Amino acid sequence: MGQQSTRAAANVAAERPAAGGGVFLSFAPWIIFGVVASPSTWKYAALAALVAVIGLSGRDMLRGRFYVLDMVGIVFFAVISVLALALDRSRLVWLETYAQVISNGIVALVALGSLAVDPFTAQYARRTTDPGVWDSPVFKHINQVLTAAWGAVFALMAVSAWLAVRVPSLDDWFNWVIPVVLLVAVVKFTERYPEAYKQRALAT
């Protein structure tokens, strides 16, 4: 009976366990900021990211659905947009220099921190899975792994952005090549891991 329950949970929980589209859309404003931000454009990047996160999460908020990554994004991009308007540029050199490091670090902290309470990918997964499997080991495991993967990638991107500041001669590698490779890898992992784990769960 327990084995049958595990298999049934695997079938349902892994069908679309991370609601990939929702997760990717929530990352979009952060990626926009990371791509556009530079010492001369970071304030415009922050405004563009703020507009993006409000636009992408607005419908969910009107329906009473609040996702942690979206809420943190609204607060973060709103704060730095206000700072850009309220303070003289000379007082924001630190933000101009480390904007990408800070933004990537915040996403990593949100993702990895959510593992202690509720993996943030599970919020999206619940939109497309049966409530009966939300507490199943399969559902929990898949979302813990996916959340940890995204958190690790953004932590590595924060380090890469910091290295771009410290080693300007390699900034193209640290600001573009490495982040793109990391993002492509984690997107592919997010698409493939749930089905792979599902097959292993069904085989046991």
Side-chain angles (χ1 to χ4, degrees):
M1 187 70 168
Q3 188 177 42
Q4 291 178 342
S5 298
T6 299
R7 290 182 176 181
N11 275 320
V12 182
E15 182 180 356
R16 290 182 63 191
V23 172
F24 301 151
L25 287 177
S26 285
F27 280 118
W30 299 91
I31 295 172
I32 288 172
F33 183 78
V35 169
V36 178
S38 72
S40 61
T41 63
W42 66 272
K43 59 183 67 177
Y44 304 110
L47 184 58
L50 178 60
V51 171
V53 71
I54 292 174
L56 291 170
S57 63
R59 182 177 297 180
D60 286 325
M61 289 191 291
L62 289 175
R63 293 177 178 176
R65 294 197 294 252
F66 300 92
Y67 300 103
V68 61
L69 196 59
D70 296 336
M71 299 304 102
V72 171
I74 290 173
V75 172
F76 175 74
F77 296 124
V79 167
I80 61 175
S81 294
V82 170
L83 289 176
L85 293 172
L87 298 180
D88 184 81
R89 183 177 179 182
S90 63
R91 299 178 63 185
L92 295 173
V93 173
W94 62 274
L95 187 53
E96 288 189 1
T97 304
Y98 294 104
Q100 291 169 301
V101 179
I102 295 169
S103 65
N104 288 331
I106 286 176
V107 175
L109 287 173
V110 170
L112 297 176
S114 73
L115 290 171
V117 183
D118 183 32
F120 85 92
T121 60
Q123 292 186 306
Y124 303 95
R126 293 188 185 104
R127 293 162 55 175
T128 56
T129 54
D130 187 327
V133 300
W134 290 354
D135 292 323
S136 73
V138 172
F139 183 90
K140 290 180 178 180
H141 175 84
I142 290 173
N143 283 285
Q144 286 170 346
V145 170
L146 295 182
T147 296
W150 280 98
V153 162
F154 271 86
L156 290 172
M157 287 171 60
V159 173
S160 186
W162 180 79
L163 288 172
V165 174
R166 308 301 297 179
V167 190
S169 62
L170 296 176
D171 64 344
D172 284 344
W173 279 91
F174 291 128
N175 275 332
W176 294 95
V177 178
I178 292 175
V180 168
V181 170
L182 288 171
L183 286 171
V184 169
V186 77
V187 166
K188 289 185 177 296
F189 179 76
T190 299
E191 292 172 345
R192 296 173 181 175
Y193 179 78
E195 183 62 26
Y197 186 76
K198 170 187 172 181
Q199 295 303 320
R200 289 201 298 272
L202 289 173
T204 58

